[in-house]
Amino acid sequence: MLQTLYDYFWWERLWLPVNLTWADLEDRDGRVYAKASDLYVTLPLALVFLIIRYFFELYVATPLAALLNVKEKARLRAPPNATLEHFYLTSGKQPKQAEVELLSRQSGLSGRQVERWFRRRRNQDRPSLLKKFREASWRFTFYLVAFIAGMAVIMDKPWFYDLKKVWEGYPIQSIIPSQYWYYMIELSFYWSLLFSIASDVKRKDFKEQIIHHVATIILISFSWFANYVRAGTLIMALHDSSDYLLESAKMFNYAGWKNTCNNIFIVFAIVFIITRLVILPFWILHCTLVYPLELYPAFFGYYFFNFMMGVLQLLHIFWAYLILRMAHKFITGKLVEDERSDREETESSEGEEAAAGGGAKSRPLANGHPILNSNHRKND
């Protein structure tokens, strides 16, 4: 039965145009073609990325944070309380008013004290500023290196300047070592992001991030073994072109360089809109939807690839909406935080921050994102 499922999954009519078989993509005459088995190496490479990330954050990002004077904000800790802790872990972090009254009777605390305890407890679970800085530093480094490497891989190729050449001779298109390593490294990195997403900084678009990572992994994998490599390299480089700007803006935000962060964010927003809402749908998607049909009839792989591209495009529209909303608030001079961030709560009504030495004027740090000056910050 497993063999039957395997044979059906790899049926040529699913993944290749009519009249072509996997035998047409076997290495011969010094020409090497992409094979699904090549992707096995990405899983151990993803673990290598996680190890590299650990040491990078420890020995590069942490000293850099100290150099940039990244400072933690003192947080008041919730006093031990078994009743409230049990509710927090099993029932929810945001008790409703009726639940607050019940917990007040069970714990012997006033309703105000119960609400204060939950505020402090939630703040304890929020990631530290140093954690967010180290995470942004790691992603900035990878995205910048990946973008430079990606441009080096594709800039001298004729299909970079003429998208019709993406499909010239498809699918009998051999690959070169630079394309192989570009694919393997990009796919391995996204596997590592998926593996670490549970421990990384969580924001309001957590579910969208998971969908993005899964869709990206599926797209990269499929485009490799179906030999959509030329289109795949263009798409990966296009995505990397703005990601490193966002991560650098975060780093400067965490370091308190608000003006620098604001300026980089503006550049990021412009690049994001141009690449994700203009170039991707009107050039790249047009290339993958229209040009192939000039060469062969549509088949399952054609529909599958473009469907996954559509999923990514919808996510881009969602994030562009958040970016533009933040940009509008920034232009109008309103205090803005990352639309996806989970803001740290304050206790100014109790005057407790002043008592703790934080000062009543202390501002909440958007869980990870800006607080721009006139303020606006990043989106991730």
Side-chain angles (χ1 to χ4, degrees):
M1 181 177 178
L2 291 177
Q3 183 62 42
T4 301
L5 291 174
Y6 178 87
D7 293 339
Y8 184 79
F9 180 83
W10 291 110
W11 183 36
E12 287 93 344
R13 293 291 67 77
L14 288 178
W15 309 112
L16 297 176
V18 65
N19 297 328
L20 286 169
T21 68
W22 295 116
D24 296 312
L25 298 179
E26 292 180 356
D27 300 346
R28 62 172 65 89
D29 302 327
R31 295 168 66 88
V32 178
Y33 299 93
K35 293 175 283 295
S37 58
D38 295 333
L39 302 181
Y40 290 139
V41 73
T42 61
L43 293 177
L45 277 179
L47 297 179
V48 172
F49 265 118
L50 292 176
I51 295 172
I52 294 174
R53 173 180 174 173
Y54 172 79
F55 287 104
F56 175 90
E57 291 184 351
L58 186 62
Y59 295 109
V60 178
T62 300
L64 180 60
L67 184 65
L68 294 177
N69 201 29
V70 175
K71 292 182 178 180
E72 292 289 358
K73 177 182 176 181
R75 292 176 177 176
L76 296 171
R77 298 186 64 83
N81 188 300
T83 300
L84 301 185
E85 184 70 23
H86 177 74
F87 183 94
Y88 182 87
L89 296 176
T90 61
S91 301
K93 301 178 181 181
Q94 301 266 8
K96 298 178 181 178
Q97 187 57 42
E99 294 171 327
V100 169
E101 294 174 359
L102 176 61
L103 290 170
S104 174
R105 293 192 297 269
Q106 293 176 345
S107 64
L109 301 175
S110 67
R112 198 176 195 82
Q113 288 174 318
V114 171
E115 292 172 345
R116 182 190 307 149
W117 187 95
F118 275 92
R119 280 197 299 270
R120 292 183 178 181
R121 186 65 180 83
R122 288 191 295 267
N123 283 339
Q124 284 178 219
D125 281 352
R126 291 187 170 90
S128 68
L129 192 62
L130 178 59
K131 174 180 174 62
K132 290 182 283 190
F133 180 88
R134 294 193 301 191
E135 180 180 313
S137 299
W138 165 247
R139 295 192 182 188
F140 162 76
T141 302
F142 176 83
Y143 289 136
L144 179 59
V145 172
F147 174 64
I148 295 172
M151 295 306 295
V153 168
I154 64 176
M155 279 196 67
D156 63 339
K157 305 301 186 296
W159 54 86
F160 181 73
Y161 306 95
D162 183 0
L163 291 179
K164 285 194 174 183
K165 293 185 180 295
V166 166
W167 307 107
E168 194 174 75
Y170 178 84
I172 313 300
Q173 299 171 336
S174 59
I175 62 170
I176 58 179
S178 60
Q179 291 173 321
Y180 171 85
W181 285 111
Y182 186 36
Y183 254 80
M184 297 306 110
I185 290 174
E186 283 274 358
L187 183 54
S188 300
F189 179 74
Y190 279 101
W191 273 120
S192 73
L193 290 184
L194 191 61
F195 294 159
S196 64
I197 196 168
S199 59
D200 288 343
V201 175
K202 292 182 179 63
R203 297 188 172 86
K204 295 177 182 178
D205 64 344
F206 178 74
K207 293 180 180 178
E208 289 81 2
Q209 282 286 355
I210 294 178
I211 294 173
H212 174 269
H213 295 340
V214 172
T216 300
I217 289 171
I218 292 174
L219 260 176
I220 294 176
S221 300
F222 167 78
S223 67
W224 178 259
F225 66 69
N227 217 17
Y228 276 49
V229 173
R230 293 182 181 180
T233 53
L234 293 174
I235 294 168
M236 290 189 295
L238 190 70
H239 280 73
D240 290 335
S241 64
S242 61
D243 288 340
Y244 71 90
L245 291 169
L246 174 61
E247 300 303 331
S248 64
K250 292 181 190 178
M251 293 169 61
F252 285 112
N253 173 61
Y254 303 146
W257 296 30
K258 303 304 179 184
N259 290 333
T260 302
C261 174
N262 294 348
N263 293 332
I264 294 177
F265 182 84
I266 293 173
V267 175
F268 159 74
I270 294 172
V271 174
F272 185 95
I273 297 300
I274 292 174
T275 56
R276 310 292 180 91
L277 298 189
V278 179
I279 296 178
L280 187 64
F282 296 105
W283 271 269
I284 303 300
L285 270 175
H286 181 267
C287 171
T288 61
L289 280 169
V290 177
Y291 295 156
L293 299 181
E294 298 176 359
L295 303 174
Y296 50 78
F299 60 104
F300 173 78
Y302 164 86
Y303 291 117
F304 178 79
F305 181 82
N306 285 292
F307 170 77
M308 296 306 298
M309 286 293 294
V311 172
L312 281 184
Q313 188 59 48
L314 289 176
L315 290 172
H316 296 155
I317 293 172
F318 168 72
W319 283 316
Y321 164 73
L322 297 183
I323 292 170
L324 291 175
R325 188 163 70 174
M326 294 168 65
H328 175 263
K329 293 179 181 179
F330 173 67
I331 292 173
T332 56
K334 296 179 181 179
L335 179 67
V336 178
E337 298 163 348
D338 184 355
E339 297 288 355
R340 307 184 322 161
S341 66
D342 178 20
R343 188 159 55 95
E344 184 169 327
E345 300 166 88
T346 61
E347 301 178 83
S348 57
S349 60
E350 268 37 79
E352 293 176 33
E353 288 187 9
K361 296 182 180 180
S362 296
R363 291 180 180 175
L365 255 179
N367 220 1
H369 287 304
I371 283 183
L372 273 143
N373 230 1
S374 112
N375 249 51
H376 154 259
R377 190 82 337 104
K378 316 154 259 216
N379 153 355
D380 164 30

